[in-house]
Amino acid sequence: MFHHVKELQFNARVSKPDVRFAKLLLEQFGGPNGELKAAMQYFVQAFGCRKAYPAEYDMLMDIATEEFSHLEIVGATIQMLLTGVNGELKNAADESDLNKMLDGKAAKENYIHDAMINPHFFLVSGGTPTLTDSVGNPWNASYIMGMGDLTADLRLNIGAETSAKMVYENLMKFTDDEYVKESLRYLMTREVAHFQMFQAALEGIQPNFPPGILESDPRYSNKYFNMSKGDDFKGPWNEGRSPELKEVWQVIEDPLQHVRATNGLLDEKSKGTERTDATVQQHNKKLSAERKTTVEAATRPENGVMSWSVYEESLQAKSNQNHKG
């Protein structure tokens, strides 16, 4: 159940119209890293963990709902930046008024050029926000990422917050309006907050690596293939122990020769790890059973009926009625 409060979560302000920046800001309204994408991604992901992971479901729904409020902030800011455009586009009697409204900052030729690049924004929407990115590509559901596994989804969300944060950073470079920057700084900061929330939730699920259920093959999980020749570098990605599985990295200096010598890696041997195929299979079965039990216990019908919600007041009323009886 959604309940709309008409005041914005953050008091967005604009000092003056700016048609061009309004167009850029569409990137966070209907773009692949924008607020609608984030809201829908977290909203859809939440369905899969409603019963099995109620705490994480609550978090996902809270953040998804906040992202909708951020979409409202972005939309309101775009509309304020277009102050005058909506009215002047409707003033078909006097074409010169549009240039006057632009205050000389964009000649009519530039305005026509922008309209040709994104005609929906300037010609079809009548000076209101559109669900497109900054060049007019329509928003679509392919932006949404979800794997149905909570540990994988949380990692996807960490990446989504990272991308959105970077877009806000870049947007701030293209406006001198301190009020607009104030809003963008707030929205950017909330991306950082959400990043940490998803990260904390991920750390609370154990085990959470690798994503999903099945462990990796110990013959290949710590192999580093030196696939390029020239200046070779060492780092925590190819020396010492791997950060998650704590296996010793094995550097394959000549991948072609190695692949040929191992019959296309079919004869590869495990090195630098205590994991074996037997222990992997044991852990796979154990975790599979745990996750299956968790989900089935949480989604088991009661008296032959599956219910999505529990209405506390209704239960209390029934309880009171039973006591009176």
Side-chain angles (χ1 to χ4, degrees):
M1 177 173 62
F2 288 88
H3 176 78
H4 182 250
V5 177
K6 295 177 180 64
E7 292 83 7
L8 294 179
Q9 182 188 23
F10 182 84
N11 189 13
R13 300 180 294 175
V14 168
S15 66
K16 60 184 180 300
D18 188 339
V19 176
R20 291 190 169 186
F21 189 73
K23 180 171 172 287
L24 288 179
L25 194 51
L26 280 175
E27 200 63 36
Q28 289 301 78
F29 195 71
N33 299 302
E35 301 294 352
L36 180 60
K37 173 264 176 74
M40 293 304 299
Q41 178 161 307
Y42 310 154
F43 183 71
V44 170
Q45 289 175 353
F47 285 101
C49 57
R50 169 70 176 89
K51 298 289 186 178
Y53 300 96
E56 287 76 10
Y57 167 85
D58 182 54
M59 177 199 66
L60 283 167
M61 277 298 187
D62 282 344
I63 297 178
T65 306
E66 184 180 357
E67 299 289 13
F68 279 117
S69 74
H70 293 174
L71 181 71
E72 187 176 23
I73 292 170
V74 173
T77 302
I78 291 173
Q79 192 63 55
M80 288 187 287
L81 289 168
L82 292 173
T83 298
V85 173
N86 188 279
E88 292 305 332
L89 285 176
K90 292 173 174 55
N91 185 9
D94 190 350
E95 296 179 1
S96 64
D97 282 350
L98 185 58
N99 279 335
K100 293 177 184 177
M101 184 278 301
L102 291 172
D103 195 27
K105 292 186 178 180
K108 188 173 183 179
E109 290 78 9
N110 289 333
Y111 185 85
I112 293 173
H113 173 72
D114 289 341
M116 291 177 67
I117 294 176
N118 191 349
H120 282 82
F121 188 47
F122 289 97
L123 304 179
V124 179
S125 74
T128 58
T130 57
L131 279 177
T132 69
D133 62 16
S134 58
V135 294
N137 297 311
W139 187 91
N140 67 82
S142 67
Y143 298 156
I144 299 173
M145 301 178 70
M147 298 301 299
D149 177 88
L150 189 54
T151 65
D153 286 350
L154 289 171
R155 286 185 169 91
L156 291 172
N157 296 348
I158 289 170
E161 295 295 327
T162 301
S163 299
K165 193 253 186 187
M166 295 306 299
V167 173
Y168 279 122
E169 277 193 25
N170 292 331
L171 279 169
M172 282 192 280
K173 302 172 185 176
F174 290 91
T175 179
D176 295 325
D177 192 321
E178 288 303 320
Y179 290 134
V180 174
K181 283 186 176 181
E182 184 180 55
S183 296
L184 298 180
R185 191 174 298 113
Y186 168 76
L187 293 168
M188 180 197 73
T189 300
R190 292 307 297 164
E191 310 295 353
V192 176
H194 294 164
F195 181 107
Q196 295 177 92
M197 294 172 196
F198 290 134
Q199 193 171 53
L202 177 62
E203 292 173 358
I205 302 172
Q206 296 297 331
N208 64 36
F209 187 87
I213 303 295
L214 302 178
E215 284 197 7
S216 55
D217 191 321
R219 293 178 297 171
Y220 313 118
S221 55
N222 62 340
K223 297 295 192 301
Y224 181 90
F225 291 90
N226 186 15
M227 303 294 281
S228 58
K229 294 302 179 184
D231 293 333
D232 294 331
F233 294 90
K234 294 292 185 180
W237 54 86
N238 62 8
E239 67 177 357
R241 293 185 178 273
S242 59
E244 297 288 347
L245 296 175
K246 307 303 180 186
E247 299 172 321
V248 178
W249 290 117
Q250 305 293 304
V251 178
I252 310 301
E253 295 291 356
D254 190 340
L256 179 58
Q257 188 277 332
H258 186 83
V259 166
R260 288 172 173 169
T262 57
N263 189 27
L265 299 179
L266 294 179
D267 300 331
E268 186 69 73
K269 304 296 182 184
S270 299
K271 293 181 180 179
T273 178
E274 296 179 356
R275 297 190 310 133
T276 65
D277 186 62
T279 61
V280 165
Q281 295 304 324
Q282 182 182 359
H283 293 156
N284 286 347
K285 291 179 181 179
K286 182 175 182 290
L287 185 57
S288 295
E290 289 178 359
R291 296 283 169 83
K292 180 175 182 290
T293 299
T294 298
V295 172
E296 289 185 346
T299 57
R300 187 177 296 117
E302 294 185 11
N303 300 320
V305 178
M306 288 183 287
S307 177
W308 189 257
S309 301
V310 175
Y311 297 93
E312 299 294 341
E313 291 184 3
S314 176
L315 290 176
Q316 186 63 42
K318 289 181 179 179
S319 177
N320 294 338
Q321 187 176 12
N322 291 337
H323 286 308
K324 289 179 180 179

